[in-house]
Amino acid sequence: MSLSVVIVGGLHADARRATVARLLADVPGGVALHHDLSTAPAGTVVRTVRDAGGVLSAGETPLVNDCACCALREDLVPELRRLADDGTTRLAVVELWDSVEPKAMAEVVVAGGLTVTGVLTAVDPALLLPCLGNGDDLADVGLAAAATDQRTVADTFARQLEYAPVLAVVESGEADEEDRELLAQLHPTARRVLVAAGESPASARAYARGTSSELVAAALAGFDVEAAAAAQHPACALLPAEADAHGVSTFVWHRRRPFHPERLYAALEDLTCAAARSRGRFWLADKPDTLLHWDAAGGALCVEPAGPWLASLPDAAWDLVPPVRRAAAALDWHPEHGDRCQHLVFTSPGLDRDGLAEVLESCLLTDAEYAAGRAAWQRLPSAFDTLLEV
C-alpha cells in the first residue's frame, strides 16, 4: 500500500483541526502528524501522531539551529518514511502548526521521495478579514517559528491561503456573504470544500458513513510542487480577475508605461492601505531590467526584485528559463517593452476603484518623461534603493 501525504495548514486553528478530524474519519487507517512549535522557546518541538481514535504516539525533537521549522523538516520526513515502510497506513495527514507555510513543507516532503496528493488550507471566512488586516509580527503574538522570524500575521496568512489549490472552508456561524465573497475573490481558482465545524472524530465518522467525502477526493486528487511554485512566482502568477459582488471588489490595473520612482515611492502608503490585499508585478523607469514584486497585506508592503524581465535577457539565456515563464511572457508580449508591464491587483471590501486608478496613473511617466527615452529614465532619482537594499 503506497502512502499518500496530505498537508493541511492555516492560521485558523479550529478550522484546521476540524478538517483533519474529518479526513481521519473518512479514511480508514489514516493518521495525522502534528509538530507543536509552541514549545520551541524551551528548546524542543513536540511531535504527535494520532488516528481517528486518539493519540498513537508522542515525542520530542530538539531544535535545529535554533529554528523550530528546521526541526520539523528534520523530523517529518523520517517519520513519514517509517509510516510508508510499515505499509499499513494509507493516508498521512500533516497538520502544520499555525504559522508554518505549506509551500516549504510540501517541497520538503517531495524532496524526501514521498508523494504529496493534496495541499489544503483550512479557513473560517469570518476570520479572513481580521487576519489580512493584522500587521502584527508573528513574534509579538507567540507564533514565530524562529528567533529570526520577521513575518507578520497578514503576509503569512496570505501565502497560506494563496498557495493551496484546495480551501477547506469551516464556517463558525459568524461569516456573512461579504466574507465568503472576499474568500472567492482572493483565490478564485481554488477548489472550495465545505467542512462542518466542531466535528468530533465520532460525529465525523457518523457523518461520513452516509455520504461520500468531497474533502477526501480533493485531498487525494494529486499535487504538482513545481506547478504550485510557478503559480506563486511574480512573473507568471495567475492573479485574480476583475470582480465586484456583495460589497467586495477586485480591481486589476494593467499598463505598459514605467513608473516614475519618486512619485510611486511617495504614493506607497496610500496604495498599501487602499485594499485588504494587493499583489502583482511592476517596473520602474530607472530599473528597466528588474521585475519587481508587489506584495501587500495588513497595511504593510513588501517590494523585492524577482529577477530580470525576459526582454532584458540575451536570446541564448531563454533556454534556461522554465517553459511556464516563457509561455506567460509570450501571452503578454509588447513590441517595444517585451514582458515589462504594470500588473497590480487590489482586493477588498469597500474598494475605491476610481481613487486607486487616479493615484496609480499619476505615478506613471508623463508623456514628456516617456518621450525622453531610456537614457533619461535611468538618470531619475533611485527612490527605491533603500527599500530594495541596493
Side-chain angles (χ1 to χ4, degrees), residues 63-209:
L63 290 190
V64 177
N65 300 323
D66 199 31
C67 170
C69 273
C70 300
L72 192 165
R73 285 193 291 266
E74 292 292 323
D75 190 70
L76 178 61
V77 169
E79 190 66 19
L80 289 172
R81 283 181 176 156
R82 182 187 67 77
L83 290 171
D85 293 342
D86 180 69
T88 60
T89 303
R90 174 190 171 194
L91 176 70
V93 181
V94 177
E95 182 193 345
L96 300 180
W97 190 65
D98 300 54
S99 69
V100 177
E101 296 185 28
K103 180 178 186 294
M105 289 304 108
E107 292 172 352
V108 163
V109 172
V110 170
L114 295 145
T115 301
V116 174
T117 60
V119 174
L120 293 71
T121 293
V123 183
D124 178 349
L127 300 178
L128 191 60
L129 197 55
C131 274
L132 285 176
N134 190 339
D136 290 344
D137 290 340
L138 291 174
D140 293 338
V141 295
L143 294 177
T148 56
D149 195 341
Q150 297 183 331
R151 295 174 298 156
T152 69
V153 172
D155 64 42
T156 300
F157 177 69
R159 284 189 294 271
Q160 291 176 337
L161 182 75
E162 292 156 9
Y163 179 77
V166 179
L167 300 179
V169 182
V170 185
E171 294 199 0
S172 60
E174 299 174 5
D176 57 22
E177 286 303 318
E178 181 180 281
D179 297 322
R180 298 181 191 99
E181 182 63 27
L182 179 59
L183 181 62
Q185 291 188 29
L186 285 169
H187 195 349
T189 63
R191 180 176 180 179
R192 294 188 294 280
V193 181
L194 289 174
V195 178
E199 288 183 337
S200 66
S203 65
R205 282 196 299 274
Y207 180 87
R209 280 196 292 270

Side-chain angles (χ1 to χ4, degrees), residues 43-379:
T44 60
V45 172
V46 177
R47 180 214 321 122
T48 303
V49 181
R50 69 185 190 279
D51 63 10
V55 175
L56 300 174
S57 67
E60 293 184 348
T61 184
L63 290 190
V64 177
N65 300 323
D66 199 31
C67 170
C69 273
C70 300
L72 192 165
R73 285 193 291 266
E74 292 292 323
D75 190 70
L76 178 61
V77 169
E79 190 66 19
L80 289 172
R81 283 181 176 156
R82 182 187 67 77
L83 290 171
D85 293 342
D86 180 69
T88 60
T89 303
R90 174 190 171 194
L91 176 70
V93 181
V94 177
E95 182 193 345
L96 300 180
W97 190 65
D98 300 54
S99 69
V100 177
E101 296 185 28
K103 180 178 186 294
M105 289 304 108
E107 292 172 352
V108 163
V109 172
V110 170
L114 295 145
T115 301
V116 174
T117 60
V119 174
L120 293 71
T121 293
V123 183
D124 178 349
L127 300 178
L128 191 60
L129 197 55
C131 274
L132 285 176
N134 190 339
D136 290 344
D137 290 340
L138 291 174
D140 293 338
V141 295
L143 294 177
T148 56
D149 195 341
Q150 297 183 331
R151 295 174 298 156
T152 69
V153 172
D155 64 42
T156 300
F157 177 69
R159 284 189 294 271
Q160 291 176 337
L161 182 75
E162 292 156 9
Y163 179 77
V166 179
L167 300 179
V169 182
V170 185
E171 294 199 0
S172 60
E174 299 174 5
D176 57 22
E177 286 303 318
E178 181 180 281
D179 297 322
R180 298 181 191 99
E181 182 63 27
L182 179 59
L183 181 62
Q185 291 188 29
L186 285 169
H187 195 349
T189 63
R191 180 176 180 179
R192 294 188 294 280
V193 181
L194 289 174
V195 178
E199 288 183 337
S200 66
S203 65
R205 282 196 299 274
Y207 180 87
R209 280 196 292 270
T211 180
S212 60
S213 174
E214 184 185 358
L215 183 65
V216 171
L220 299 177
F223 182 76
D224 186 329
V225 167
E226 291 185 1
Q232 297 301 303
H233 192 283
C236 44
L238 184 61
L239 297 170
E242 285 272 348
D244 191 359
H246 300 292
V248 181
S249 297
T250 293
F251 172 60
V252 179
W253 190 76
H254 195 280
R255 296 290 184 273
R256 288 294 178 178
R257 189 172 292 197
F259 280 124
H260 186 287
E262 278 190 317
R263 290 201 294 274
L264 179 62
Y265 190 84
L268 288 182
E269 183 175 354
D270 288 343
L271 293 171
T272 299
C273 296
R277 178 76 173 126
S278 58
R279 48 190 152 145
R281 51 190 176 269
F282 69 101
W283 67 302
L284 296 171
D286 64 317
K287 293 177 172 53
D289 295 337
T290 304
L291 189 160
L292 294 167
H293 181 206
W294 177 289
D295 188 30
L301 170 67
C302 176
V303 171
E304 58 186 0
W309 293 101
L310 293 195
S312 69
L313 297 177
D315 291 347
W318 279 54
D319 290 338
L320 304 176
V321 177
V324 65
R325 173 80 191 275
R326 296 199 300 269
L331 286 171
D332 202 25
W333 197 261
H334 185 272
E336 181 180 359
H337 299 309
D339 57 333
R340 298 180 184 91
C341 68
Q342 320 294 4
H343 188 173
L344 300 176
V345 177
F346 300 80
T347 300
S348 188
L351 195 70
D352 180 5
R353 291 168 174 265
D354 293 341
L356 261 173
E358 183 178 350
V359 173
L360 289 164
E361 296 288 346
S362 74
C363 296
L364 294 172
L365 294 185
T366 64
D367 290 346
E369 290 165 341
Y370 184 75
R374 289 197 181 185
W377 302 351
Q378 293 187 270
R379 292 194 296 270

